Amino acid sequence: MGVLAGLTTRGRCLLAAGLAAALCALLLDERDLLRIAVFVVALPIIAAVMAANARIGLAALRHLVPERVPVGTSSEVRLEVRSSGRLPAGGLMLEDGVPYALGNKPRFVVERLPRRSAAVLRYPLQPVMRGVHQLGPLRARVTDPFGLAEFERELGGRSRLVVVPKVVALTGLPHGSGMGAGDDGAVRLRAGQGEDDAIIRQYRHGDDLRKVHWKSTARRDELMVRVEESPWHGGVSVLLDTRADAHRGNGPTSSLEWAISLAASICLHLHKHGQHVRLCTEEGVLLAGGSASAGLSDVPVLDALAALHPAHRAQLAVTGDPGAGREMIAVLGDVTPAAVAELVRFRPRGVRSLAVLLDVNGWASAREERGADPQDALRLLTSAGWGAVVARPEQGMAAVWSLLCNTVPERMSSGHVAGAGPW
């Protein structure tokens, strides 16, 4: 009865016709009609048995090349389908489970499977949305040559494709960086000590002239200044505003995806320059990185951002310093002046803080509610000694980063920032 459950409408009609013909042959005592009826009844039963046996012998493997890809790049799926039994000439129909964000579900028709080798099938994927996507299962539909029976089976299980955010190449470091321009950047970056120390570096515009180190100036024949450092916690925190209500737009063109891509680019850029980077949310929840000695690498931060889901909080709830005492770069969505004031209040005085404020109205659709004017938050941050810029969708991420690097906080330009040394 389980085999007969696989009969198609055509097979059921043929079976019913054969049984009716057999009944008439018995009533009318027509032996020739009975022979035909037996054949008509046997045909769909034999077809169902063959299709069921072919289904049992099927197996498949799925390979992704590569298994991690950035948004907008392609990946290839390779399917290997094998059979340990005989496949009916009617063929095999295959359909792989593909999420909507990766494209349409591919379908294949295999007329005959090799007995001792696998049929290799390939299809491309073009992911347009960041995330951890599950492919599969592979569904196989086995039919007989006459279309009288049909059986379905799941093959191959599931596979995971990690689509990481797009990373943009950035250049330069924030104002005041000593990377590659003297001893201060390299020494401070690699030491990671919490002890007081003093560093001699080249004079930069805005430095306090009272801190000129005359001995080093005479020896190097260029103006040098002494930077007296307070205890250093080490590393840089990159804060990402993940609130759904703080962003506008939908899908890959939303302000949230833009912010995630910018945060990923900043993390990898700073890490490439030897920084110990930690990535956290607006609540201080660590996404990637850790202690200054542990740092982070490209794969964990990208994987963490690939799996990131927006937080369902209306307001920016700050209960402590999200930067954990480190220098910080914040990528913020729609924020109110009150939320900015709270963020500033919890940041330690004299620790460098930078911010990118997204003008989310540039990403909003006609139906979405408009966000607050970022200029109000910008004025609050700059008056508190932060370096801050406003980002809009028409600007490139590299251009926004360049503006941020060249921003001189008010306290820095006055020479009053304690511990605002190199990144």
Side-chain angles (χ1 to χ4, degrees):
M1 196 64 186
V3 172
L4 296 181
L7 290 175
T8 62
T9 303
R10 181 186 300 177
R12 293 175 187 274
C13 291
L14 193 62
L15 181 61
L19 293 174
L23 181 60
C24 293
L26 292 174
L27 293 176
L28 300 175
D29 196 21
E30 290 287 342
R31 293 188 177 182
D32 292 335
L33 181 60
L34 184 60
R35 294 189 185 97
I36 296 174
V38 171
F39 173 77
V40 172
V41 169
L43 185 60
I45 296 176
I46 294 172
V49 171
M50 292 180 62
N53 290 335
R55 175 193 61 171
I56 295 172
L58 290 175
L61 290 175
R62 183 189 298 102
H63 305 278
L64 274 67
V65 184
E67 296 181 348
R68 297 175 70 258
V69 294
V71 172
T73 59
S74 61
S75 178
E76 185 181 70
V77 179
R78 183 170 176 264
L79 296 171
E80 296 181 4
V81 185
R82 300 176 182 271
S83 175
S84 59
R86 293 185 177 182
L87 184 69
L92 180 68
M93 182 179 294
L94 299 170
E95 180 181 273
D96 205 6
V98 174
Y100 174 77
L102 301 182
N104 297 324
K105 292 183 178 181
R107 293 180 175 88
F108 303 94
V109 175
V110 181
E111 293 296 336
R112 187 179 297 276
L113 280 177
R115 288 296 305 277
R116 297 182 180 179
S117 61
V120 179
L121 309 171
R122 293 181 172 87
Y123 66 89
L125 294 175
Q126 295 288 340
V128 296
M129 190 66 185
R130 164 194 63 84
V132 180
H133 304 284
Q134 297 290 333
L135 278 74
L138 177 65
R139 298 183 184 276
R141 186 176 299 173
V142 184
T143 61
D144 70 287
F146 305 106
L148 302 178
E150 181 179 273
F151 290 91
E152 190 174 276
R153 183 183 172 187
E154 292 186 359
L155 306 175
R158 296 180 181 272
S159 302
R160 191 179 75 155
L161 177 68
V162 180
V163 182
V164 301
K166 182 180 179 181
V167 175
V168 177
L170 304 177
T171 57
L173 292 168
H175 183 89
S177 172
M179 294 292 293
D183 302 331
D184 56 335
V187 170
R188 179 182 177 190
L189 209 54
R190 288 171 175 77
Q193 302 297 322
E195 302 171 356
D196 294 347
D197 58 0
I199 294 174
I200 308 301
R201 61 168 172 80
Q202 294 174 336
Y203 173 82
R204 300 189 188 95
H205 177 71
D207 285 337
D208 190 351
L209 292 175
R210 292 174 297 180
K211 295 184 179 180
V212 172
H213 195 269
W214 296 110
K215 289 184 179 180
S216 299
T217 299
R219 185 170 61 253
R220 299 196 182 188
D221 197 23
E222 59 178 327
L223 203 57
M224 307 294 292
V225 294
R226 179 185 180 91
V227 180
E228 294 180 355
E229 306 244 347
S230 57
W232 180 54
H233 293 280
V236 180
S237 292
V238 177
L239 182 149
L240 176 61
D241 189 354
T242 63
R243 295 172 298 134
D245 289 347
H247 294 277
R248 301 292 185 273
N250 296 305
T253 58
S254 67
S255 64
L256 176 61
E257 296 303 319
W258 197 94
I260 289 174
S261 183
L262 176 62
S265 303
I266 292 173
C267 286
L268 269 59
H269 177 67
L270 294 178
H271 178 65
K272 183 179 67 175
H273 283 83
Q275 293 287 358
H276 299 301
V277 185
R278 64 188 295 274
L279 176 65
C280 61
T281 67
E282 70 283 355
E283 287 191 324
V285 177
L286 188 66
L287 296 177
S291 63
S293 60
L296 104 169
S297 61
D298 295 1
V299 173
V301 68
L302 291 178
D303 284 356
L305 290 173
L308 180 66
H309 295 285
H312 298 285
R313 287 186 301 273
Q315 298 298 326
L316 188 68
V318 181
T319 57
D321 177 20
R326 296 168 171 83
E327 296 172 339
M328 188 177 75
I329 301 175
V331 181
L332 303 174
D334 183 23
V335 288
T336 62
V340 170
E342 284 294 298
L343 182 61
V344 169
R345 185 170 68 89
F346 281 106
R347 286 292 291 161
R349 290 181 176 273
V351 178
R352 188 199 308 267
S353 301
L354 302 177
V356 177
L357 298 167
L358 273 63
D359 185 359
V360 296
N361 295 321
W363 282 272
S365 63
R367 298 180 180 180
E368 288 183 298
E369 181 183 355
R370 293 184 63 81
D373 186 354
Q375 294 299 327
D376 296 335
L378 181 67
R379 283 189 291 269
L380 270 174
L381 290 174
T382 53
S383 64
W386 287 47
V389 296
V390 175
R392 296 179 175 85
E394 62 270 14
Q395 295 175 284
M397 295 181 193
V400 172
W401 174 253
S402 180
L403 287 174
L404 189 67
C405 289
N406 294 322
T407 299
V408 183
E410 291 182 6
R411 294 180 184 175
M412 274 192 68
S413 61
S414 302
H416 294 152
V417 178
W423 286 85

